[in-house]
Amino acid sequence: MVKISLNIIACFKWVVDHEDIKVNPETNELMLERAGYRISDYDRFAIEAAVALVEQYGGSATAVTVGFPEAKKGLKDALARGPEKAIFINDPAFAELEPAQTAAILAQSINKQEFDLIICGEGSGDLYAQQVGPRLAEHLDIPCASFVRKITIEGRELIAERRVDEGLEIISMPLPALVTVLPEINSPRVPGLKDTLAASKKPVVAITKSDLEETWA
């Protein structure tokens, strides 16, 4: 296998753990006060895809997330899954962002990085709006493929096998590019103790609201 050395960014979201969500029997309202958080299940496939491609072709993987300051707890889990570093874009105002806002904030931060490929989950574990990936690609003016179940790199071309209504479709795009991946693309690894300990020593770049333009609002 020819090593290409790719700079890959995997985007992930810190969401409420659905297993902790309770329903108030009197009002039928969701009780989130005691709910914990976790990396969106869909984004675990994105992180695994990024790490697997780096293992196959060479390069580095970076995990990127937008969220409120407490979401920092999710960085260790993300880094334990293989990325070399993380970018944490955070502010208390980022707790309840719309997909359009998230995409704009990600674009401002990622645009300052060197990247060949951005990988997002097909949707998030809470809203599942399926908008952040395509909107992010639009902001960065790069090609985008959704519903991807297999990725191959040939030189500076990305070959994507994607699921469509009629079955499967194979397309090619020049790098840099963005893909949103389906769960069937892989089986995310489960971090071991060694991975978790190593994650604590990996670099995290912190970006706050003051570092961004106000065009995201």
Side-chain angles (χ1 to χ4, degrees), residues 23 29 48 67 92 95 104 108 114 116 127 132 142 178 209:
V23 177
E29 295 180 347
E48 177 63 29
Q108 287 190 39
E114 291 187 6
D116 299 293
L127 299 178
V132 171
I142 58 176
L178 182 149
K209 185 180 178 182

XYZ file of all heavy atoms in Angstrom, residues 23 29 48 67 92 95 104 108 114 116 127 132 142 178 209:
112
model
N -38.508 9.762 31.964
C -39.750 10.477 31.665
C -40.533 10.702 32.953
O -40.732 9.766 33.740
C -40.622 9.691 30.655
C -41.936 10.422 30.410
C -39.865 9.474 29.353
N -42.967 14.637 30.507
C -41.838 15.421 30.014
C -40.530 14.689 30.288
O -40.411 13.916 31.247
C -41.809 16.799 30.688
C -43.018 17.670 30.349
C -42.943 19.018 31.042
O -42.101 19.163 31.966
O -43.704 19.922 30.669
N -13.627 6.459 13.926
C -13.005 5.191 13.531
C -12.585 5.222 12.065
O -11.497 4.748 11.706
C -13.964 4.035 13.781
C -13.440 2.667 13.341
C -12.211 2.223 14.086
O -12.034 2.616 15.260
O -11.395 1.486 13.490
N -18.910 22.758 21.459
C -19.810 22.512 22.573
C -19.598 23.467 23.720
O -18.836 24.434 23.632
N -20.053 28.771 26.774
C -21.371 28.485 27.354
C -22.509 28.730 26.361
O -23.549 28.067 26.422
C -21.452 29.446 28.545
C -20.026 29.629 28.966
C -19.252 29.632 27.682
N -24.160 25.748 23.924
C -24.857 24.577 24.468
C -26.057 24.164 23.629
O -26.389 22.980 23.559
C -25.302 24.854 25.913
N -21.126 26.688 10.788
C -20.400 27.942 10.599
C -19.219 28.038 11.559
O -18.131 28.490 11.178
C -21.344 29.124 10.788
N -15.085 28.073 10.516
C -14.121 29.089 10.902
C -12.875 28.476 11.517
O -11.753 28.923 11.263
C -14.746 30.066 11.888
C -15.736 31.026 11.278
C -16.127 32.117 12.254
O -15.292 32.625 13.002
N -17.396 32.467 12.250
N -4.647 22.613 8.283
C -4.344 21.890 7.052
C -5.146 20.590 7.070
O -5.065 19.824 8.029
C -2.848 21.586 6.958
C -1.976 22.812 6.747
C -0.529 22.432 6.494
O -0.245 21.223 6.366
O 0.305 23.346 6.438
N -6.985 17.315 4.420
C -7.269 16.689 3.138
C -8.685 16.132 3.089
O -9.295 16.060 2.031
C -6.278 15.539 2.871
C -4.844 16.028 2.815
O -4.514 16.774 1.878
O -4.060 15.670 3.714
N -30.387 15.455 17.546
C -31.255 16.059 16.530
C -31.374 15.212 15.271
O -32.415 15.167 14.628
C -30.727 17.449 16.160
C -30.658 18.488 17.270
C -30.062 19.776 16.740
C -32.034 18.727 17.859
N -25.165 19.278 9.293
C -23.871 19.885 9.616
C -22.819 19.568 8.562
O -22.095 20.461 8.102
C -23.393 19.446 11.013
C -21.950 19.897 11.242
C -24.293 20.031 12.093
N -15.796 22.871 -0.603
C -15.177 21.606 -0.992
C -16.273 20.610 -1.346
O -17.417 20.751 -0.890
C -14.288 21.021 0.138
C -15.108 20.800 1.420
C -13.096 21.937 0.403
C -14.322 20.133 2.548
N -15.239 16.351 1.878
C -15.935 15.988 3.118
C -16.880 14.839 2.821
O -17.546 14.825 1.778
C -16.706 17.185 3.680
C -17.452 16.990 5.008
C -17.488 18.310 5.792
C -18.875 16.467 4.818
N -15.181 31.478 21.935
C -16.013 32.389 21.154
C -15.261 33.648 20.754
O -15.461 34.191 19.652
C -17.265 32.741 21.962
C -18.280 33.589 21.221
C -19.474 33.863 22.116
C -20.493 34.761 21.422
N -21.635 35.074 22.318
